[in-house]
Amino acid sequence: MNECLLCGRKLKQDMTFDFLFSFRPLEQSVVCKACRQKFEKIDFKTSCPGCGRQMSEKTICEDCKRWEKAGYELLFNQALYKYDENMKAYVTRYKFMGDYRYRLIFANEFQEKVAEFQKQGYAIVTIPVDRETFEKTRGFNQVLGWLGKIDCENYLVMRQNKGRLKQSHKDRAMRMKTKQPFEYVGPNNLSDKKILLVDDIYTTGRTLYHAKTLLEDAGAKFVTSVTLAR
């Protein structure tokens, strides 16, 4: 790929001395440096421990305090990027317009983050896509697109596969009132497994907490999550 996926400019491969002597395999860039810098990374040192939101200091945000008050154990979600206007534009093109090439923009670092948990014995579980979206609208699961060849477990399916009002079409109040959308279809007992839930965006956390509840009810020892954005 010789042109930036986002702006169309010709790509140049930076070959620094540090890279040459690192013996790392050459990775072909898909976006230029200027476009890459438009996405703001979240600093883990100053993010909310519960959801990954960027904060001025590492403290629990008001959203997570509400989850705790409602009786939930926090997810301790880790998010890679802020969900700002640049990220929203990317998600629209990739997820809602179905441009599968866009998976390549964040695939490498997303896989690296998930692999950290896989090495610690976590089973990787993605949030499912309903059949109507998969077959008629997008044709792929956007999270699986980032994960590539990473092994995932199919422990969850959508209860409703047709005519469902998507989370992206709801405001915060509607999201928080969403009933359990998933059904557990994994092993009879997860035998105290550690589970990593993987999704695209942490907005209110409602979707991930629904999934967490089912997995814990099935015997999971610990459930945490990783998202591309928060």
Side-chain angles (χ1 to χ4, degrees):
M1 190 173 292
N2 297 318
E3 295 179 346
C4 173
L5 274 176
L6 295 174
C7 71
R9 283 194 287 254
K10 255 201 170 343
L11 292 169
K12 295 179 181 180
Q13 185 68 49
D14 293 329
M15 298 292 286
T16 64
F17 282 109
D18 287 342
F19 179 83
L20 287 172
F21 290 100
S22 70
F23 302 103
R24 298 197 309 270
L26 182 65
E27 294 180 353
Q28 181 63 50
S29 298
V30 295
V31 292
C32 66
K33 189 174 181 180
C35 285
R36 175 67 70 181
Q37 290 176 341
K38 291 179 180 179
F39 298 99
E40 187 174 348
K41 285 192 173 184
I42 290 176
D43 185 354
F44 183 68
K45 294 178 182 177
T46 53
S47 63
C48 170
C51 67
R53 181 199 293 270
Q54 186 66 74
M55 306 282 282
S56 58
E57 58 184 83
K58 200 165 188 67
T59 184
I60 298 292
C61 72
E62 293 302 314
D63 283 354
C64 286
K65 288 178 182 177
R66 283 193 284 267
W67 282 113
E68 286 186 317
K69 189 175 180 180
Y72 289 85
E73 182 180 346
L74 295 180
L75 264 165
F76 302 105
N77 181 69
Q78 292 187 34
L80 302 184
Y81 288 89
K82 289 182 68 173
Y83 192 51
D84 56 15
E85 291 306 313
N86 289 309
M87 182 57 73
K88 288 177 183 177
Y90 164 79
V91 170
T92 296
R93 184 67 182 266
Y94 176 50
K95 180 178 178 180
F96 299 118
M97 297 176 67
D99 193 332
Y100 195 56
R101 299 173 303 162
Y102 272 46
R103 76 193 189 282
L104 300 172
I105 295 174
F106 295 109
N108 286 337
E109 59 184 310
F110 201 72
Q111 289 171 27
E112 287 177 6
K113 171 56 67 175
V114 172
E116 292 176 10
F117 288 86
Q118 197 172 40
K119 290 174 184 177
Q120 298 174 50
Y122 281 80
I124 313 302
V125 177
T126 59
I127 297 298
V129 174
D130 67 70
R131 191 163 56 247
E132 184 177 46
T133 299
F134 187 87
E135 294 178 352
K136 296 183 179 181
T137 306
R138 193 180 312 146
F140 60 88
N141 181 314
Q142 73 278 7
V143 176
L144 289 177
W146 292 321
L147 291 177
K149 296 181 179 179
I150 288 182
D151 291 332
C152 300
E153 303 292 349
N154 296 317
Y155 289 166
L156 303 173
V157 296
M158 299 298 302
R159 285 181 168 175
Q160 183 180 349
N161 280 292
K162 188 176 181 181
R164 185 176 66 89
L165 182 61
K166 307 296 189 291
Q167 288 292 85
S168 58
H169 296 166
K170 300 177 183 179
D171 59 22
R172 179 181 175 82
M174 292 174 69
R175 286 171 184 261
M176 294 305 293
K177 292 178 182 177
T178 301
K179 295 181 179 179
Q180 176 61 263
F182 307 121
E183 182 180 348
Y184 178 74
V185 293
N188 290 334
N189 192 319
L190 286 179
S191 303
D192 293 331
K193 278 191 176 182
K194 296 185 296 183
I195 304 290
L196 177 71
L197 281 168
V198 188
D199 203 5
D200 49 11
I201 306 160
Y202 185 115
T203 308
T204 63
R206 179 67 276 182
T207 296
L208 287 163
Y209 277 102
H210 271 317
K212 180 178 187 287
T213 297
L214 283 183
L215 294 166
E216 288 177 338
D217 288 346
K221 179 180 181 180
F222 181 68
V223 180
T224 187
S225 59
V226 162
T227 57
L228 179 68
R230 170 65 170 109

